[in-house]
């Protein structure tokens, strides 16, 4: 038995034969050409073919993994059509008088190197995407068929690395797990694996030699793959797999049930989403509503400030699709690790504590009012609520309410319908907001705790700094005490309180959140049913008694 370790991307157990994914060797030769126009035309034709292939992959991915998982292929189409990339290829063809394959390969190497040397981890990850589209173009130009698998039998896919296009082209029914020697947890392939709910390991110390066809067990909980497992390990993992499958089947039976504890305490379980494409996952997982719609992605996906009508169309679609279920939309949360060039934000030494979120909105009221008009107009088509991020003072909330009142007055004057009783809430993300929670609760209808930033600011740890992972403790007693202070303050002033940060999806704390009295948890769609299961099995009074409360 051989045991290899890796970084787990998605938890789960998989048992089956190993299928080593073989990439076709891309051997590109540099050859001289005389008809440069014809060579450029050949490249243009290959580019059009690549776009057609990527569109087909997108359509296939939508069916298999949903719109969010398919977005990478839209991104790849944009990369193929990128002006700088095209200019580089055509320039190499014309200035060096070489074949299109060589020009594409050279451009791909240059662009991938440029991205890989960037400080930002996200952009470093895009180097793999550049390589993917480059290999696609070369394959088309050279008439190749690409790599593949030799077996049609379901199995564990093992590869040096996997591009998103390679992942999606595989038959999902034949994939038990992914294991790669390279790759990262933030790569698009990893994201696809999570969306497909397939166990996956990256940066695994596995050898691709002499492993094809061997029986293996992937344990995404432990982050290991057992090759030729001994009878004892095999029996243990088979039992674990059977229990896992049983849990999944039981969870499906929870769809349509109310989130009520054994002793009658109710809680809403909402979903966090980033765009309208995630709405299908919200409905599929039976969330009670949307607790966090990240409106900043509308801005991040645009080359200029989105107009009122553009935003209105999106908010209206969400409201109508949720058919009367509550939809909480967070106002613009640009800044820190989320930047849009056209905002022209100043360079800051510590952007996490700089000009971001509500601070931008209050210093640029024209942007804020545009979004508020769109939100209020959309409120006539469903049950919308508006949530404001990064609040640190009562004065900020009062200023926000003044601006909202101004917008409502403008809509009234224009005889435009909106929900006059729309709920207004704030995110509690700073220790300052916690300490004045009673005063803030008098001004709003609800609190939603952003535990990611609250933990960051409370522990004085940059959550983007991986070298501090060992110090980052989301279960720190200070955080848990703050959460209790927040919900108590809200209830004292007839406001409700929820959690929309990552901690809300922590199943080890669900009972604790029930005991604290939280009214709502908003989590990724896939966490809705697992949390519902805990809620239905919990007697809050007994749990408190067991803790001596």
């Amino acid at each position: 038995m051989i045991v290899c370790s890796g970084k787990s991307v998605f938890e789960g157990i998989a048992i089956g034969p190993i299928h080593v994914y073989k990439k076709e060797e891309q051997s590109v030769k540099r050859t001289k050409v005389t008809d440069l126009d014809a060579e450029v035309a050949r490249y243009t034709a290959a580019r059009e073919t690549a776009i057609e292939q990527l569109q087909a992959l997108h359509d296939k991915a939508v069916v298999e993994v949903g719109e969010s998982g398919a977005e990478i292929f839209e991104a790849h189409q944009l990369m193929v059509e990128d002006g700088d990339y095209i200019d580089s290829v055509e320039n190499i063809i014309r200035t060096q008088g070489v074949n299109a394959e060589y020009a594409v390969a050279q451009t791909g190497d240059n662009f991938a190197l440029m991205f890989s040397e960037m400080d930002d981890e996200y952009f470093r990850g895009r180097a793999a995407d550049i390589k993917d589209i480059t290999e696609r173009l070369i394959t088309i130009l050279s008439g190749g068929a690409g790599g593949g698998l030799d077996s049609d039998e379901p199995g564990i896919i093992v590869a040096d690395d996997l591009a998103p296009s390679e992942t999606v082209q595989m038959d999902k029914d034949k994939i038990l797990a992914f294991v790669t020697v390279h790759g990262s947890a933030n790569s698009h392939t990893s994201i696809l694996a999570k969306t497909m709910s397939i166990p996956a390991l990256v940066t695994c110390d596995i050898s691709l030699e002499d492993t094809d066809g061997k029986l293996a067990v992937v344990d995404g909980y432990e982050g290991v793959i057992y090759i030729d497992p001994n009878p004892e390990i095999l029996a243990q993992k088979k039992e674990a797999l059977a229990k896992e499958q049983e849990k999944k089947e039981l969870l499906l039976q929870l769809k349509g049930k109310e989130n009520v504890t054994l002793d009658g305490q109710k809680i809403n379980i909402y979903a966090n989403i980033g765009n309208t494409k995630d709405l299908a996952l919200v409905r599929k997982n039976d969330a009670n509503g949307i607790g966090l719609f990240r409106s900043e992605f509308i801005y991040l996906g645009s080359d200029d400030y989105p107009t009122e009508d553009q935003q209105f169309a999106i908010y209206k679609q969400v409201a109508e699709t949720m058919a009367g279920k509550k939809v909480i939309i967070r106002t613009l949360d640009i800044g820190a690790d989320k930047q849009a060039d056209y905002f022209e934000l100043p360079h800051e030494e510590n952007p996490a504590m700089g000009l971001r979120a509500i601070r931008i909105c209050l210093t640029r009221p024209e942007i804020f009012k545009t979004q508020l008009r769109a939100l209020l107009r959309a409120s006539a088509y469903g049950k919308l609520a508006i949530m404001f991020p990064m609040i640190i003072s009562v004065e900020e909330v009062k200023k926000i309410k003044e601006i909202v009142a101004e917008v409502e007055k403008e809509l009234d004057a224009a005889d435009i319908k909106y929900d006059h009783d729309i709920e207004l809430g704030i995110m509690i993300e700073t220790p300052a907001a916690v300490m004045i929670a009673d005063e803030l609760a008098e001004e709003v209808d609800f609190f939603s705790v952003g535990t990611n930033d609250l933990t960051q600011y409370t522990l004085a740890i940059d959550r983007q700094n991986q070298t501090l992972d060992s110090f980052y403790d989301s279960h720190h007693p200070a955080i848990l005490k703050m959460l209790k202070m927040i919900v108590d303050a809200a209830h004292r002033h007839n406001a409700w309180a929820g959690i929309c940060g990552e901690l809300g999806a922590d199943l080890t704390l669900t009972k604790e959140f029930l005991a604290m009295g939280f009214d709502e948890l908003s989590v990724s769609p896939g966490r809705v049913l697992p949390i519902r299961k805990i809620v239905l099995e919990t007697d809050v009074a007994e749990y408190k008694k067991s803790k001596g409360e």
Side-chain angles (χ1 to χ4, degrees), residues 38-337:
E39 199 64 16
V40 169
R42 197 164 73 88
Y43 164 60
T44 301
R47 198 169 69 239
E48 292 172 352
T49 300
I51 292 169
E52 291 173 2
Q53 290 179 355
L54 289 165
Q55 183 59 52
L57 285 172
H58 173 271
D59 295 343
K60 184 174 187 290
V62 167
V63 174
E64 294 187 350
V65 299
E67 287 278 3
S68 291
E71 284 181 346
I72 177 57
F73 300 110
E74 293 179 355
H76 278 200
Q77 288 182 60
L78 292 174
M79 287 182 181
V80 171
E81 297 178 280
D82 179 73
D84 291 334
Y85 190 98
I86 293 171
D87 289 345
S88 175
V89 173
E90 293 185 357
N91 180 64
I92 291 173
I93 291 173
R94 293 190 182 280
T95 60
Q96 300 182 33
V98 294
N99 56 318
E101 290 90 339
Y102 177 81
V104 169
Q106 190 64 44
T107 296
D109 288 344
N110 292 340
F111 275 59
L113 178 63
M114 175 181 69
F115 277 106
S116 65
E117 291 180 340
M118 289 184 175
D119 293 332
D120 189 281
E121 184 177 353
Y122 173 82
F123 286 110
R124 287 201 303 272
R126 301 293 68 77
D129 296 326
I130 291 293
K131 291 178 181 178
D132 191 12
I133 66 164
T134 298
E135 288 175 2
R136 177 175 299 281
L137 287 166
I138 293 172
T139 298
I140 293 168
L141 285 164
S142 59
L149 297 166
D150 293 334
S151 176
D152 289 331
E153 180 187 6
I156 295 165
I157 311 301
V158 174
D160 183 68
D161 200 358
L162 283 168
S165 56
E166 292 169 329
T167 306
V168 170
Q169 287 180 88
M170 298 175 189
D171 186 343
K172 185 174 180 288
D173 294 333
K174 304 288 176 61
I175 304 171
L176 300 177
F178 291 128
V179 178
T180 62
V181 177
H182 297 102
S184 75
N186 296 314
S187 70
H188 283 291
T189 300
S190 298
I191 293 169
L192 282 173
K194 293 174 186 176
T195 308
M196 294 164 71
S197 300
I198 295 174
L201 306 179
V202 296
T203 61
C204 186
D205 57 356
I206 189 172
S207 170
L208 303 186
E209 301 296 324
D210 301 323
T211 55
D212 196 45
K214 291 186 177 179
L215 180 67
V217 175
V218 174
D219 190 326
Y221 300 100
E222 297 179 356
V224 299
I225 177 172
Y226 299 89
I227 302 171
D228 285 334
N230 61 40
E232 183 180 358
I233 288 292
L234 187 58
Q236 288 176 2
K237 301 306 176 184
K238 281 184 176 179
E239 183 179 354
L241 178 59
K243 289 181 179 178
E244 189 178 81
Q245 291 172 337
E246 184 181 349
K247 285 180 181 179
K248 289 180 181 177
E249 291 173 5
L250 288 173
L251 284 175
L252 291 176
Q253 297 176 20
L254 299 180
K255 293 180 72 171
K257 291 183 181 285
E258 279 193 279
N259 308 306
V260 183
T261 64
L262 293 174
D263 53 340
Q265 183 171 319
K266 294 183 179 180
I267 189 169
N268 286 313
I269 306 177
Y270 290 173
N272 297 337
I273 65 172
N275 54 54
T276 56
K277 296 174 182 178
D278 292 331
L279 289 171
L281 291 174
V282 175
R283 300 184 71 85
K284 178 182 177 182
N285 289 278
D286 198 34
N288 300 129
I290 294 172
L292 171 62
F293 181 96
R294 302 179 177 93
S295 71
E296 61 270 15
F297 284 100
I298 301 172
Y299 295 79
L300 293 172
S302 176
D303 295 328
D304 201 352
Y305 296 104
T307 67
E308 178 184 326
D309 285 341
Q310 287 172 333
Q311 294 188 63
F312 165 70
I314 294 170
Y315 305 143
K316 176 175 178 283
Q317 181 186 348
V318 177
E320 288 179 333
T321 302
M322 292 306 294
K325 291 184 177 180
K326 186 176 291 185
V327 175
I328 302 172
I329 299 180
R330 177 172 70 189
T331 57
L332 175 63
D333 192 12
I334 289 287
D337 58 332

Side-chain angles (χ1 to χ4, degrees), residues 328-363:
I328 302 172
I329 299 180
R330 177 172 70 189
T331 57
L332 175 63
D333 192 12
I334 289 287
D337 58 332
K338 291 173 285 190
Q339 298 285 335
D341 290 342
Y342 58 88
F343 272 78
E344 297 181 344
L345 296 177
H347 172 74
E348 297 175 304
E349 291 300 322
N350 192 348
M353 293 188 178
L355 186 61
R356 56 174 298 196
I358 200 63
R359 296 166 186 174
I360 294 176
C361 292
L362 291 178
T363 53

Side-chain angles (χ1 to χ4, degrees), residues 513-532:
F513 295 148
L514 287 167
M516 289 180 183
F518 274 98
D519 306 284
E520 175 249 20
L521 297 175
S522 189
V523 298
S524 61
R527 280 296 199 188
V528 170
L529 293 177
I531 290 176
R532 179 172 296 166

